[in-house]
Every structure is written in C-alpha cells, then in structure tokens.
Amino acid sequence: MTKPAASQDAERPESLTIAVLTFRRPDDLDAVLPQLVEQARTTAPLGIASRVLVVDNDPEGSARDQVARLAADAGDVTVAYSHEAEPGIAAARNRALDDSGDSDLLVFIDDDERPSASWLVDLVQLMLAEGVAATVGPVISEYSITPDPWIVAGRFFDRRRLPTGTEVDVAATNNLLLDLRAIRALRLGFDRSLGTIGRSDTVFTRTIVQNGGRMLWCDEAVVTDVVPPHRLTRQWVVQRAFSSGNGWSLTSLLLTRHIGFGARLALRVRLTAKGVVRLAGGLARVALGTVARSLGQRARGVRTMARGAGMVTGAWGHRYQEYRRS
C-alpha cells in the first residue's frame, strides 16, 4: 500500500477549491452559488485562498451561461466552470479532482444542499488542528413539502451525528473536505464503473483509510439537504434503502478484488448472511409493528428489509443502477 502524505508533516495549505456538482438544477444553482461565494471568503483569515468550481454533468452543458452570470457577480472570488460530458457522478467527481489545479484542499458539496454559516471554516480548522487526510460533516434534511407520515416514522432521511473528532472509515461527498496532497500521493480517483450505480465515494473514502489516511467527523460543519417532492414517496425511499445495501456489498467486493477466489467467495457468503439477518430482522419488526399498531416499527422494518435485500443481491453481483439516465 502507498502511504498517504501526512497532513501534519506537510506545509500549511494555502489554497482550496469548493466543488459543487450539478445536473440540470438551475434553481438550486441560483440558490447555492452565492452562498458558496460567501463561504470562499471565510477562509481568508486562515491564510487560505478559496475558489468555487461548478462541474456540470449535463452533456449539453446547460449550466454554462448561468455560471458565467453568477461568476460576474462574485466580486473577488473566482467562480470557475467545468463541463464533464460523460454521464455518471463518478466522472463528475473525477473532473472536480482534475480541475482543482494545484489547490491544496478540495471540499465537495451537492447543489441541492445549503451550508451553515461556519461550515467551511469548521471543516478546515479541524483538518489543520489534527493533520488528517479528510474531515466530514453532517447532512440534515429539510423537506420541500410535507412528507408522508410513514416516511417520517421510518426515519428514512435521518443521518448519523457523531461527536467532533470521531474517526470514521467511510463518507459521502455531500460534505467532505480532502487534503489533496494526501489524495495525490495515493493517486486516488473515483471508480468510473460505479458512475450510474453510485457509491464511488464509498470506495474512495474507504480506500483512504485502508491506506493509512485518517478521516475525522466535524459535527459543527452542517449542511442542509433540500429534499425535492419526487424523493418524498414510499417507492423512492424504499428503493434508496435497497440501493444502499446493494452498494455496500458491491463496494466491499471491489475493495477486495485482488484476493483469491476462495476468500472472495467467503466474503460473498458473509455479506449474504448479514443481508439475510437484516431481512429477518426487518420482517420481525414489521410483524411487531402490525400487532402493536406502530407506524414507525412497520416503516423501519420495511427499510431494514430493503437494505438487507440489497446486500444479498449485491453480494452476488447485481448492480442497482440508481443514477441511470433515460
């Protein structure tokens, strides 16, 4: 394994790129870009010059003119535009890596998220204090419409919260700060084979940790996810739970692709067993919720069953195409 460059042994970072990936969401870009411009200004007192990079994953480049208009109003902050025509979030993430130039740091945020006032400073200060390869912040959901009570009871949009400084071994790119010096030392990128499946960020961050990099949780660095109406359906949340389980098994196999046939078979069996346990546990919770007339128990049972089913199918190679485009 290649050992990543230790942040604490490197020179203090001087430059940072804020990367936001987008695909045909003009209203979200109008909302988030001015906020990211303000975030870029907050790192100046730390001696870090920040810029904003928009990666447009629409083959037609539909955000180009919009970004140019918003960039003209950004004053002293650079707002750059990159076009990644290859479909898939992995390709867009790699474009962000490639087009960060010689920046020392790179932070990812989604176009449908809104950062808290001290979001970027909180992530950066923890990284500077601890000298780690990455810092990760929480995402909280804000519903665009009143959701089905079943969805709320099932906690489908609840995400983890951890004490600041907790070490984590996996993260998404919806609130992730990277020390690019460590990433470049690993020659690490996002797996394009997962472009329409998702979870390339899972493989990416688990690989950082496998190679000796440290990732720390920063609970103050909050971003708010604005959940659109089309995601607030029972079908969507159950499919997302299935996709989560499917992706976990697939990425676990990808991370061990170089081990022998017998070891991989044993891993498939273990993943299957874990999925079956979730299926059985979810079914029991649904039954208990039905008897007790508990909406929450029934909904959470369905969620657990869906994740378990995804784990079983992923263990044997089925790839759920969550980001497939028509």
Side-chain angles (χ1 to χ4, degrees), residues 193-244:
S193 71
L194 298 172
T196 59
I197 298 167
R199 309 299 182 267
S200 63
D201 48 359
T202 299
V203 175
F204 183 91
T205 54
R206 289 177 71 181
T207 302
I208 293 173
V209 176
Q210 283 187 353
N211 283 274
R214 296 172 62 217
M215 295 195 301
L216 295 185
W217 186 265
C218 183
D219 204 54
E220 295 79 18
V222 175
V223 300
T224 300
D225 171 40
V226 182
V227 185
H230 77 270
R231 294 186 178 182
L232 292 171
T233 67
R234 295 192 184 195
Q235 179 182 4
W236 191 91
V237 298
V238 171
Q239 287 178 337
R240 187 58 182 263
F242 178 90
S243 175
S244 176

mmCIF file of all heavy atoms in Angstrom, residues 193-244:
data_model
loop_
_atom_site.group_PDB
_atom_site.id
_atom_site.type_symbol
_atom_site.label_atom_id
_atom_site.label_comp_id
_atom_site.label_asym_id
_atom_site.label_seq_id
_atom_site.Cartn_x
_atom_site.Cartn_y
_atom_site.Cartn_z
ATOM 1 N N SER A 193 -16.626 2.824 -13.076
ATOM 2 C CA SER A 193 -17.562 1.713 -13.278
ATOM 3 C C SER A 193 -18.790 1.843 -12.379
ATOM 4 O O SER A 193 -19.801 1.181 -12.601
ATOM 5 C CB SER A 193 -16.870 0.373 -13.018
ATOM 6 O OG SER A 193 -16.608 0.184 -11.632
ATOM 7 N N LEU A 194 -18.712 2.723 -11.383
ATOM 8 C CA LEU A 194 -19.830 2.942 -10.465
ATOM 9 C C LEU A 194 -20.602 4.213 -10.811
ATOM 10 O O LEU A 194 -21.403 4.691 -10.010
ATOM 11 C CB LEU A 194 -19.311 3.036 -9.021
ATOM 12 C CG LEU A 194 -18.617 1.786 -8.486
ATOM 13 C CD1 LEU A 194 -17.977 2.076 -7.128
ATOM 14 C CD2 LEU A 194 -19.590 0.631 -8.369
ATOM 15 N N GLY A 195 -20.384 4.739 -12.009
ATOM 16 C CA GLY A 195 -20.969 6.023 -12.379
ATOM 17 C C GLY A 195 -22.472 6.088 -12.280
ATOM 18 O O GLY A 195 -23.033 7.085 -11.824
ATOM 19 N N THR A 196 -23.178 5.033 -12.723
ATOM 20 C CA THR A 196 -24.642 5.037 -12.664
ATOM 21 C C THR A 196 -25.175 4.224 -11.501
ATOM 22 O O THR A 196 -26.392 4.129 -11.322
ATOM 23 C CB THR A 196 -25.233 4.492 -13.977
ATOM 24 O OG1 THR A 196 -24.754 3.154 -14.186
ATOM 25 C CG2 THR A 196 -24.842 5.364 -15.152
ATOM 26 N N ILE A 197 -24.272 3.652 -10.727
ATOM 27 C CA ILE A 197 -24.671 2.841 -9.576
ATOM 28 C C ILE A 197 -24.610 3.661 -8.298
ATOM 29 O O ILE A 197 -25.438 3.537 -7.400
ATOM 30 C CB ILE A 197 -23.761 1.609 -9.443
ATOM 31 C CG1 ILE A 197 -23.905 0.735 -10.691
ATOM 32 C CG2 ILE A 197 -24.073 0.802 -8.194
ATOM 33 C CD1 ILE A 197 -22.841 -0.325 -10.810
ATOM 34 N N GLY A 198 -23.617 4.558 -8.233
ATOM 35 C CA GLY A 198 -23.354 5.290 -7.011
ATOM 36 C C GLY A 198 -22.333 4.555 -6.165
ATOM 37 O O GLY A 198 -21.830 3.489 -6.520
ATOM 38 N N ARG A 199 -22.004 5.143 -5.027
ATOM 39 C CA ARG A 199 -21.086 4.574 -4.035
ATOM 40 C C ARG A 199 -19.624 4.648 -4.459
ATOM 41 O O ARG A 199 -18.783 4.030 -3.823
ATOM 42 C CB ARG A 199 -21.445 3.122 -3.685
ATOM 43 C CG ARG A 199 -22.900 2.902 -3.304
ATOM 44 C CD ARG A 199 -23.317 3.674 -2.081
ATOM 45 N NE ARG A 199 -24.707 3.399 -1.729
ATOM 46 C CZ ARG A 199 -25.745 4.128 -2.143
ATOM 47 N NH1 ARG A 199 -25.542 5.190 -2.908
ATOM 48 N NH2 ARG A 199 -26.961 3.820 -1.778
ATOM 49 N N SER A 200 -19.310 5.402 -5.525
ATOM 50 C CA SER A 200 -17.884 5.581 -5.832
ATOM 51 C C SER A 200 -17.203 6.363 -4.723
ATOM 52 O O SER A 200 -16.001 6.197 -4.481
ATOM 53 C CB SER A 200 -17.698 6.294 -7.181
ATOM 54 O OG SER A 200 -18.232 7.599 -7.162
ATOM 55 N N ASP A 201 -17.968 7.214 -4.011
ATOM 56 C CA ASP A 201 -17.383 7.917 -2.874
ATOM 57 C C ASP A 201 -17.134 6.971 -1.704
ATOM 58 O O ASP A 201 -16.200 7.163 -0.917
ATOM 59 C CB ASP A 201 -18.256 9.093 -2.445
ATOM 60 C CG ASP A 201 -19.733 8.752 -2.299
ATOM 61 O OD1 ASP A 201 -20.127 7.590 -2.544
ATOM 62 O OD2 ASP A 201 -20.509 9.654 -1.934
ATOM 63 N N THR A 202 -17.962 5.916 -1.598
ATOM 64 C CA THR A 202 -17.727 4.909 -0.557
ATOM 65 C C THR A 202 -16.391 4.215 -0.780
ATOM 66 O O THR A 202 -15.577 4.066 0.143
ATOM 67 C CB THR A 202 -18.863 3.871 -0.553
ATOM 68 O OG1 THR A 202 -20.106 4.528 -0.262
ATOM 69 C CG2 THR A 202 -18.622 2.788 0.481
ATOM 70 N N VAL A 203 -16.150 3.765 -2.016
ATOM 71 C CA VAL A 203 -14.884 3.109 -2.334
ATOM 72 C C VAL A 203 -13.720 4.073 -2.125
ATOM 73 O O VAL A 203 -12.678 3.720 -1.543
ATOM 74 C CB VAL A 203 -14.889 2.584 -3.785
ATOM 75 C CG1 VAL A 203 -13.529 2.013 -4.164
ATOM 76 C CG2 VAL A 203 -15.969 1.523 -3.959
ATOM 77 N N PHE A 204 -13.894 5.295 -2.575
ATOM 78 C CA PHE A 204 -12.844 6.314 -2.485
ATOM 79 C C PHE A 204 -12.429 6.558 -1.036
ATOM 80 O O PHE A 204 -11.234 6.510 -0.692
ATOM 81 C CB PHE A 204 -13.376 7.612 -3.116
ATOM 82 C CG PHE A 204 -12.402 8.752 -3.178
ATOM 83 C CD1 PHE A 204 -11.598 8.936 -4.285
ATOM 84 C CD2 PHE A 204 -12.318 9.668 -2.132
ATOM 85 C CE1 PHE A 204 -10.718 10.006 -4.358
ATOM 86 C CE2 PHE A 204 -11.431 10.735 -2.186
ATOM 87 C CZ PHE A 204 -10.631 10.905 -3.307
ATOM 88 N N THR A 205 -13.396 6.805 -0.167
ATOM 89 C CA THR A 205 -13.056 7.135 1.218
ATOM 90 C C THR A 205 -12.591 5.913 2.007
ATOM 91 O O THR A 205 -11.708 6.018 2.869
ATOM 92 C CB THR A 205 -14.241 7.806 1.924
ATOM 93 O OG1 THR A 205 -15.421 6.996 1.807
ATOM 94 C CG2 THR A 205 -14.525 9.170 1.309
ATOM 95 N N ARG A 206 -13.161 4.740 1.722
ATOM 96 C CA ARG A 206 -12.675 3.537 2.396
ATOM 97 C C ARG A 206 -11.233 3.229 1.986
ATOM 98 O O ARG A 206 -10.438 2.724 2.784
ATOM 99 C CB ARG A 206 -13.589 2.351 2.081
ATOM 100 C CG ARG A 206 -14.952 2.432 2.746
ATOM 101 C CD ARG A 206 -15.872 1.283 2.355
ATOM 102 N NE ARG A 206 -15.448 0.005 2.940
ATOM 103 C CZ ARG A 206 -16.095 -1.141 2.726
ATOM 104 N NH1 ARG A 206 -17.183 -1.168 1.942
ATOM 105 N NH2 ARG A 206 -15.670 -2.247 3.281
ATOM 106 N N THR A 207 -10.879 3.561 0.739
ATOM 107 C CA THR A 207 -9.514 3.355 0.279
ATOM 108 C C THR A 207 -8.546 4.292 0.996
ATOM 109 O O THR A 207 -7.408 3.904 1.312
ATOM 110 C CB THR A 207 -9.422 3.555 -1.242
ATOM 111 O OG1 THR A 207 -10.314 2.656 -1.894
ATOM 112 C CG2 THR A 207 -8.006 3.302 -1.749
ATOM 113 N N ILE A 208 -8.960 5.525 1.244
ATOM 114 C CA ILE A 208 -8.122 6.452 2.006
ATOM 115 C C ILE A 208 -7.731 5.834 3.346
ATOM 116 O O ILE A 208 -6.560 5.810 3.734
ATOM 117 C CB ILE A 208 -8.849 7.793 2.240
ATOM 118 C CG1 ILE A 208 -9.045 8.551 0.934
ATOM 119 C CG2 ILE A 208 -8.069 8.662 3.236
ATOM 120 C CD1 ILE A 208 -9.905 9.797 1.071
ATOM 121 N N VAL A 209 -8.729 5.306 4.055
ATOM 122 C CA VAL A 209 -8.497 4.744 5.382
ATOM 123 C C VAL A 209 -7.664 3.467 5.289
ATOM 124 O O VAL A 209 -6.757 3.230 6.104
ATOM 125 C CB VAL A 209 -9.829 4.493 6.103
ATOM 126 C CG1 VAL A 209 -9.614 3.808 7.441
ATOM 127 C CG2 VAL A 209 -10.579 5.816 6.312
ATOM 128 N N GLN A 210 -7.968 2.636 4.287
ATOM 129 C CA GLN A 210 -7.195 1.396 4.112
ATOM 130 C C GLN A 210 -5.714 1.672 3.898
ATOM 131 O O GLN A 210 -4.863 0.849 4.244
ATOM 132 C CB GLN A 210 -7.740 0.594 2.934
ATOM 133 C CG GLN A 210 -9.014 -0.168 3.223
ATOM 134 C CD GLN A 210 -9.408 -1.086 2.069
ATOM 135 O OE1 GLN A 210 -8.805 -1.069 1.002
ATOM 136 N NE2 GLN A 210 -10.442 -1.883 2.285
ATOM 137 N N ASN A 211 -5.403 2.836 3.339
ATOM 138 C CA ASN A 211 -4.019 3.191 3.057
ATOM 139 C C ASN A 211 -3.395 4.084 4.131
ATOM 140 O O ASN A 211 -2.372 4.725 3.896
ATOM 141 C CB ASN A 211 -3.918 3.874 1.693
ATOM 142 C CG ASN A 211 -4.014 2.882 0.552
ATOM 143 O OD1 ASN A 211 -3.019 2.303 0.145
ATOM 144 N ND2 ASN A 211 -5.225 2.662 0.059
ATOM 145 N N GLY A 212 -4.021 4.122 5.298
ATOM 146 C CA GLY A 212 -3.426 4.822 6.423
ATOM 147 C C GLY A 212 -3.867 6.245 6.632
ATOM 148 O O GLY A 212 -3.407 6.909 7.570
ATOM 149 N N GLY A 213 -4.747 6.763 5.770
ATOM 150 C CA GLY A 213 -5.259 8.114 5.968
ATOM 151 C C GLY A 213 -6.314 8.150 7.064
ATOM 152 O O GLY A 213 -7.015 7.173 7.288
ATOM 153 N N ARG A 214 -6.429 9.278 7.723
ATOM 154 C CA ARG A 214 -7.416 9.435 8.788
ATOM 155 C C ARG A 214 -8.503 10.406 8.339
ATOM 156 O O ARG A 214 -8.232 11.422 7.694
ATOM 157 C CB ARG A 214 -6.773 9.954 10.077
ATOM 158 C CG ARG A 214 -5.760 9.009 10.703
ATOM 159 C CD ARG A 214 -5.049 9.682 11.856
ATOM 160 N NE ARG A 214 -5.996 10.040 12.922
ATOM 161 C CZ ARG A 214 -5.911 11.148 13.655
ATOM 162 N NH1 ARG A 214 -4.952 12.041 13.418
ATOM 163 N NH2 ARG A 214 -6.791 11.387 14.615
ATOM 164 N N MET A 215 -9.744 10.077 8.691
ATOM 165 C CA MET A 215 -10.884 10.957 8.450
ATOM 166 C C MET A 215 -11.559 11.224 9.788
ATOM 167 O O MET A 215 -11.835 10.284 10.545
ATOM 168 C CB MET A 215 -11.890 10.319 7.488
ATOM 169 C CG MET A 215 -11.369 10.091 6.089
ATOM 170 S SD MET A 215 -12.705 9.744 4.901
ATOM 171 C CE MET A 215 -13.463 8.290 5.622
ATOM 172 N N LEU A 216 -11.838 12.491 10.049
ATOM 173 C CA LEU A 216 -12.460 12.879 11.308
ATOM 174 C C LEU A 216 -13.804 13.537 11.066
ATOM 175 O O LEU A 216 -14.003 14.278 10.096
ATOM 176 C CB LEU A 216 -11.564 13.848 12.086
ATOM 177 C CG LEU A 216 -10.224 13.329 12.591
ATOM 178 C CD1 LEU A 216 -9.550 14.401 13.448
ATOM 179 C CD2 LEU A 216 -10.370 12.030 13.368
ATOM 180 N N TRP A 217 -14.729 13.284 11.978
ATOM 181 C CA TRP A 217 -16.063 13.875 11.933
ATOM 182 C C TRP A 217 -16.022 15.270 12.549
ATOM 183 O O TRP A 217 -15.405 15.498 13.597
ATOM 184 C CB TRP A 217 -17.034 13.005 12.724
ATOM 185 C CG TRP A 217 -18.460 13.444 12.624
ATOM 186 C CD1 TRP A 217 -19.130 14.248 13.499
ATOM 187 C CD2 TRP A 217 -19.382 13.108 11.595
ATOM 188 N NE1 TRP A 217 -20.424 14.434 13.076
ATOM 189 C CE2 TRP A 217 -20.604 13.751 11.916
ATOM 190 C CE3 TRP A 217 -19.301 12.326 10.442
ATOM 191 C CZ2 TRP A 217 -21.734 13.612 11.102
ATOM 192 C CZ3 TRP A 217 -20.425 12.209 9.637
ATOM 193 C CH2 TRP A 217 -21.618 12.848 9.975
ATOM 194 N N CYS A 218 -16.678 16.225 11.889
ATOM 195 C CA CYS A 218 -16.809 17.592 12.393
ATOM 196 C C CYS A 218 -18.291 17.916 12.496
ATOM 197 O O CYS A 218 -18.927 18.263 11.495
ATOM 198 C CB CYS A 218 -16.095 18.576 11.467
ATOM 199 S SG CYS A 218 -16.145 20.285 12.055
ATOM 200 N N ASP A 219 -18.849 17.769 13.689
ATOM 201 C CA ASP A 219 -20.300 17.853 13.839
ATOM 202 C C ASP A 219 -20.834 19.275 13.704
ATOM 203 O O ASP A 219 -22.036 19.465 13.513
ATOM 204 C CB ASP A 219 -20.716 17.269 15.189
ATOM 205 C CG ASP A 219 -22.157 16.792 15.183
ATOM 206 O OD1 ASP A 219 -22.505 15.975 14.294
ATOM 207 O OD2 ASP A 219 -22.949 17.251 16.038
ATOM 208 N N GLU A 220 -19.972 20.265 13.801
ATOM 209 C CA GLU A 220 -20.432 21.653 13.646
ATOM 210 C C GLU A 220 -20.607 22.050 12.179
ATOM 211 O O GLU A 220 -21.320 23.012 11.872
ATOM 212 C CB GLU A 220 -19.441 22.617 14.306
ATOM 213 C CG GLU A 220 -19.312 22.483 15.814
ATOM 214 C CD GLU A 220 -18.447 21.309 16.244
ATOM 215 O OE1 GLU A 220 -17.662 20.801 15.401
ATOM 216 O OE2 GLU A 220 -18.560 20.893 17.410
ATOM 217 N N ALA A 221 -19.948 21.332 11.280
ATOM 218 C CA ALA A 221 -19.936 21.699 9.857
ATOM 219 C C ALA A 221 -21.175 21.149 9.154
ATOM 220 O O ALA A 221 -21.105 20.220 8.342
ATOM 221 C CB ALA A 221 -18.665 21.190 9.195
ATOM 222 N N VAL A 222 -22.310 21.747 9.425
ATOM 223 C CA VAL A 222 -23.595 21.231 8.956
ATOM 224 C C VAL A 222 -23.940 21.785 7.577
ATOM 225 O O VAL A 222 -23.744 22.970 7.297
ATOM 226 C CB VAL A 222 -24.713 21.599 9.955
ATOM 227 C CG1 VAL A 222 -26.089 21.188 9.425
ATOM 228 C CG2 VAL A 222 -24.441 20.968 11.313
ATOM 229 N N VAL A 223 -24.461 20.906 6.726
ATOM 230 C CA VAL A 223 -25.143 21.354 5.505
ATOM 231 C C VAL A 223 -26.568 20.806 5.538
ATOM 232 O O VAL A 223 -26.827 19.747 6.106
ATOM 233 C CB VAL A 223 -24.424 20.902 4.212
ATOM 234 C CG1 VAL A 223 -23.016 21.455 4.148
ATOM 235 C CG2 VAL A 223 -24.419 19.403 4.072
ATOM 236 N N THR A 224 -27.473 21.575 4.941
ATOM 237 C CA THR A 224 -28.883 21.184 4.891
ATOM 238 C C THR A 224 -29.238 20.707 3.496
ATOM 239 O O THR A 224 -28.984 21.401 2.508
ATOM 240 C CB THR A 224 -29.792 22.366 5.279
ATOM 241 O OG1 THR A 224 -29.472 22.787 6.612
ATOM 242 C CG2 THR A 224 -31.259 21.972 5.213
ATOM 243 N N ASP A 225 -29.793 19.513 3.434
ATOM 244 C CA ASP A 225 -30.221 18.904 2.170
ATOM 245 C C ASP A 225 -31.686 19.244 1.937
ATOM 246 O O ASP A 225 -32.546 18.907 2.756
ATOM 247 C CB ASP A 225 -30.020 17.389 2.266
ATOM 248 C CG ASP A 225 -30.624 16.637 1.096
ATOM 249 O OD1 ASP A 225 -30.511 17.136 -0.035
ATOM 250 O OD2 ASP A 225 -31.203 15.557 1.309
ATOM 251 N N VAL A 226 -31.974 19.915 0.835
ATOM 252 C CA VAL A 226 -33.354 20.266 0.499
ATOM 253 C C VAL A 226 -33.940 19.112 -0.313
ATOM 254 O O VAL A 226 -33.579 18.896 -1.467
ATOM 255 C CB VAL A 226 -33.414 21.582 -0.299
ATOM 256 C CG1 VAL A 226 -34.866 21.946 -0.583
ATOM 257 C CG2 VAL A 226 -32.722 22.709 0.475
ATOM 258 N N VAL A 227 -34.855 18.354 0.298
ATOM 259 C CA VAL A 227 -35.382 17.140 -0.331
ATOM 260 C C VAL A 227 -36.551 17.504 -1.251
ATOM 261 O O VAL A 227 -37.567 18.023 -0.789
ATOM 262 C CB VAL A 227 -35.863 16.127 0.731
ATOM 263 C CG1 VAL A 227 -36.290 14.826 0.066
ATOM 264 C CG2 VAL A 227 -34.773 15.871 1.772
ATOM 265 N N PRO A 228 -36.432 17.226 -2.564
ATOM 266 C CA PRO A 228 -37.495 17.589 -3.501
ATOM 267 C C PRO A 228 -38.685 16.629 -3.402
ATOM 268 O O PRO A 228 -38.558 15.513 -2.875
ATOM 269 C CB PRO A 228 -36.810 17.477 -4.862
ATOM 270 C CG PRO A 228 -35.753 16.439 -4.649
ATOM 271 C CD PRO A 228 -35.282 16.615 -3.240
ATOM 272 N N PRO A 229 -39.843 17.042 -3.918
ATOM 273 C CA PRO A 229 -41.051 16.207 -3.809
ATOM 274 C C PRO A 229 -40.898 14.802 -4.381
ATOM 275 O O PRO A 229 -41.437 13.849 -3.824
ATOM 276 C CB PRO A 229 -42.102 17.013 -4.581
ATOM 277 C CG PRO A 229 -41.647 18.430 -4.473
ATOM 278 C CD PRO A 229 -40.141 18.360 -4.516
ATOM 279 N N HIS A 230 -40.154 14.646 -5.490
ATOM 280 C CA HIS A 230 -40.088 13.321 -6.126
ATOM 281 C C HIS A 230 -39.347 12.299 -5.266
ATOM 282 O O HIS A 230 -39.458 11.096 -5.500
ATOM 283 C CB HIS A 230 -39.457 13.421 -7.517
ATOM 284 C CG HIS A 230 -37.966 13.569 -7.509
ATOM 285 N ND1 HIS A 230 -37.337 14.809 -7.467
ATOM 286 C CD2 HIS A 230 -36.957 12.652 -7.538
ATOM 287 C CE1 HIS A 230 -36.039 14.634 -7.483
ATOM 288 N NE2 HIS A 230 -35.769 13.337 -7.516
ATOM 289 N N ARG A 231 -38.601 12.762 -4.267
ATOM 290 C CA ARG A 231 -37.935 11.831 -3.360
ATOM 291 C C ARG A 231 -38.777 11.526 -2.123
ATOM 292 O O ARG A 231 -38.399 10.661 -1.327
ATOM 293 C CB ARG A 231 -36.574 12.389 -2.926
ATOM 294 C CG ARG A 231 -35.577 12.499 -4.062
ATOM 295 C CD ARG A 231 -34.206 12.907 -3.549
ATOM 296 N NE ARG A 231 -33.224 12.968 -4.632
ATOM 297 C CZ ARG A 231 -31.945 13.256 -4.470
ATOM 298 N NH1 ARG A 231 -31.480 13.520 -3.249
ATOM 299 N NH2 ARG A 231 -31.118 13.290 -5.502
ATOM 300 N N LEU A 232 -39.853 12.225 -1.957
ATOM 301 C CA LEU A 232 -40.680 12.039 -0.767
ATOM 302 C C LEU A 232 -41.845 11.102 -1.058
ATOM 303 O O LEU A 232 -43.005 11.391 -0.762
ATOM 304 C CB LEU A 232 -41.172 13.398 -0.260
ATOM 305 C CG LEU A 232 -40.061 14.291 0.300
ATOM 306 C CD1 LEU A 232 -40.583 15.694 0.578
ATOM 307 C CD2 LEU A 232 -39.468 13.681 1.571
ATOM 308 N N THR A 233 -41.516 9.961 -1.656
ATOM 309 C CA THR A 233 -42.506 8.924 -1.927
ATOM 310 C C THR A 233 -42.032 7.625 -1.296
ATOM 311 O O THR A 233 -40.822 7.409 -1.113
ATOM 312 C CB THR A 233 -42.692 8.704 -3.438
ATOM 313 O OG1 THR A 233 -41.483 8.154 -3.990
ATOM 314 C CG2 THR A 233 -43.028 10.013 -4.146
ATOM 315 N N ARG A 234 -42.967 6.746 -0.998
ATOM 316 C CA ARG A 234 -42.600 5.462 -0.397
ATOM 317 C C ARG A 234 -41.726 4.653 -1.348
ATOM 318 O O ARG A 234 -40.759 4.012 -0.919
ATOM 319 C CB ARG A 234 -43.856 4.668 -0.026
ATOM 320 C CG ARG A 234 -44.691 5.324 1.058
ATOM 321 C CD ARG A 234 -45.740 4.369 1.589
ATOM 322 N NE ARG A 234 -46.621 5.019 2.569
ATOM 323 C CZ ARG A 234 -47.433 4.373 3.390
ATOM 324 N NH1 ARG A 234 -47.514 3.048 3.337
ATOM 325 N NH2 ARG A 234 -48.179 5.028 4.253
ATOM 326 N N GLN A 235 -42.050 4.698 -2.624
ATOM 327 C CA GLN A 235 -41.267 3.923 -3.589
ATOM 328 C C GLN A 235 -39.816 4.391 -3.617
ATOM 329 O O GLN A 235 -38.888 3.578 -3.598
ATOM 330 C CB GLN A 235 -41.875 4.041 -4.984
ATOM 331 C CG GLN A 235 -41.102 3.269 -6.048
ATOM 332 C CD GLN A 235 -41.701 3.432 -7.445
ATOM 333 O OE1 GLN A 235 -42.645 4.182 -7.647
ATOM 334 N NE2 GLN A 235 -41.145 2.727 -8.414
ATOM 335 N N TRP A 236 -39.605 5.711 -3.631
ATOM 336 C CA TRP A 236 -38.250 6.233 -3.746
ATOM 337 C C TRP A 236 -37.420 5.874 -2.517
ATOM 338 O O TRP A 236 -36.273 5.424 -2.645
ATOM 339 C CB TRP A 236 -38.264 7.753 -3.927
ATOM 340 C CG TRP A 236 -36.913 8.287 -4.318
ATOM 341 C CD1 TRP A 236 -36.432 8.480 -5.580
ATOM 342 C CD2 TRP A 236 -35.844 8.674 -3.429
ATOM 343 N NE1 TRP A 236 -35.139 8.959 -5.539
ATOM 344 C CE2 TRP A 236 -34.754 9.096 -4.227
ATOM 345 C CE3 TRP A 236 -35.710 8.711 -2.043
ATOM 346 C CZ2 TRP A 236 -33.560 9.538 -3.683
ATOM 347 C CZ3 TRP A 236 -34.509 9.154 -1.501
ATOM 348 C CH2 TRP A 236 -33.453 9.561 -2.311
ATOM 349 N N VAL A 237 -37.975 6.059 -1.312
ATOM 350 C CA VAL A 237 -37.175 5.818 -0.110
ATOM 351 C C VAL A 237 -36.859 4.333 0.066
ATOM 352 O O VAL A 237 -35.773 3.976 0.538
ATOM 353 C CB VAL A 237 -37.856 6.393 1.157
ATOM 354 C CG1 VAL A 237 -37.992 7.904 1.043
ATOM 355 C CG2 VAL A 237 -39.208 5.744 1.432
ATOM 356 N N VAL A 238 -37.793 3.456 -0.335
ATOM 357 C CA VAL A 238 -37.516 2.021 -0.223
ATOM 358 C C VAL A 238 -36.453 1.619 -1.244
ATOM 359 O O VAL A 238 -35.528 0.847 -0.934
ATOM 360 C CB VAL A 238 -38.808 1.201 -0.403
ATOM 361 C CG1 VAL A 238 -38.496 -0.291 -0.501
ATOM 362 C CG2 VAL A 238 -39.759 1.451 0.763
ATOM 363 N N GLN A 239 -36.553 2.144 -2.459
ATOM 364 C CA GLN A 239 -35.529 1.845 -3.466
ATOM 365 C C GLN A 239 -34.171 2.373 -3.032
ATOM 366 O O GLN A 239 -33.142 1.737 -3.284
ATOM 367 C CB GLN A 239 -35.925 2.456 -4.813
ATOM 368 C CG GLN A 239 -37.073 1.719 -5.495
ATOM 369 C CD GLN A 239 -37.475 2.363 -6.805
ATOM 370 O OE1 GLN A 239 -37.223 3.553 -7.038
ATOM 371 N NE2 GLN A 239 -38.119 1.599 -7.655
ATOM 372 N N ARG A 240 -34.146 3.523 -2.356
ATOM 373 C CA ARG A 240 -32.879 4.081 -1.882
ATOM 374 C C ARG A 240 -32.267 3.187 -0.800
ATOM 375 O O ARG A 240 -31.046 3.002 -0.758
ATOM 376 C CB ARG A 240 -33.096 5.492 -1.335
ATOM 377 C CG ARG A 240 -31.813 6.236 -0.958
ATOM 378 C CD ARG A 240 -30.890 6.342 -2.157
ATOM 379 N NE ARG A 240 -29.642 7.000 -1.840
ATOM 380 C CZ ARG A 240 -29.385 8.297 -2.046
ATOM 381 N NH1 ARG A 240 -30.334 9.071 -2.578
ATOM 382 N NH2 ARG A 240 -28.226 8.808 -1.745
ATOM 383 N N ALA A 241 -33.109 2.638 0.070
ATOM 384 C CA ALA A 241 -32.609 1.713 1.090
ATOM 385 C C ALA A 241 -32.034 0.454 0.434
ATOM 386 O O ALA A 241 -30.977 -0.053 0.841
ATOM 387 C CB ALA A 241 -33.720 1.346 2.066
ATOM 388 N N PHE A 242 -32.725 -0.058 -0.581
ATOM 389 C CA PHE A 242 -32.218 -1.205 -1.328
ATOM 390 C C PHE A 242 -30.878 -0.868 -1.978
ATOM 391 O O PHE A 242 -29.912 -1.645 -1.916
ATOM 392 C CB PHE A 242 -33.224 -1.621 -2.396
ATOM 393 C CG PHE A 242 -32.786 -2.768 -3.256
ATOM 394 C CD1 PHE A 242 -33.079 -4.087 -2.906
ATOM 395 C CD2 PHE A 242 -32.073 -2.556 -4.434
ATOM 396 C CE1 PHE A 242 -32.664 -5.155 -3.697
ATOM 397 C CE2 PHE A 242 -31.653 -3.605 -5.230
ATOM 398 C CZ PHE A 242 -31.955 -4.910 -4.858
ATOM 399 N N SER A 243 -30.802 0.315 -2.594
ATOM 400 C CA SER A 243 -29.569 0.743 -3.252
ATOM 401 C C SER A 243 -28.421 0.853 -2.261
ATOM 402 O O SER A 243 -27.281 0.496 -2.575
ATOM 403 C CB SER A 243 -29.798 2.097 -3.938
ATOM 404 O OG SER A 243 -28.616 2.595 -4.496
ATOM 405 N N SER A 244 -28.711 1.335 -1.057
ATOM 406 C CA SER A 244 -27.681 1.463 -0.038
ATOM 407 C C SER A 244 -27.082 0.106 0.315
ATOM 408 O O SER A 244 -25.854 -0.061 0.374
ATOM 409 C CB SER A 244 -28.260 2.125 1.213
ATOM 410 O OG SER A 244 -27.308 2.187 2.241
#
